[in-house]
Amino acid sequence: MKARIHVFYKDSVFDPQGSTVEESLKRMGFNKIKNIRMGRVIDLEMDYDSKEEAKRDVTKMCERLLANPVIESFKHEILD
């Protein structure tokens, strides 16, 4: 079983990497860009018997370590 986790800065938090990429793309001529938010993707391979148990534990992992709840939000999906 696998899990894919997406972690992003919350909308209210300045995203310096996203801002840098946005400005670079605009300088390259991609002027229709309005906003870029960068994030990260974490893939986990796991050994759980049920998706419910895996989902519960992945949520705990995100809340405790993988995402900073003060400045980041996350979403995840359990893959077969």
Side-chain angles (χ1 to χ4, degrees):
M1 188 175 300
K2 295 182 180 183
R4 177 159 294 148
I5 303 161
H6 302 269
V7 181
F8 294 95
Y9 283 121
K10 291 182 177 180
D11 289 338
S12 60
V13 175
F14 176 66
D15 180 354
Q17 186 178 11
S19 180
T20 299
V21 171
E22 178 182 338
E23 290 305 315
S24 295
L25 288 172
K26 287 180 178 178
R27 282 194 301 274
M28 294 170 71
F30 299 100
N31 296 314
K32 297 192 182 236
I33 303 289
K34 290 186 176 183
N35 187 26
I36 295 178
R37 304 291 289 179
M38 301 294 287
R40 63 187 184 276
V41 176
I42 302 165
D43 285 336
L44 300 175
E45 289 191 35
M46 309 171 295
D47 187 22
Y48 282 93
D49 293 329
S50 72
K51 279 189 171 185
E52 293 78 23
E53 183 183 13
K55 184 176 180 179
R56 184 186 67 241
D57 280 359
V58 169
T59 298
K60 288 178 184 178
M61 291 176 207
C62 291
E63 292 171 345
R64 294 179 183 176
L65 178 68
L66 301 177
N68 179 342
V70 175
I71 61 170
E72 295 176 319
S73 59
F74 66 89
K75 65 178 182 176
H76 59 74
E77 57 187 322
I78 305 300
L79 310 169
D80 290 327

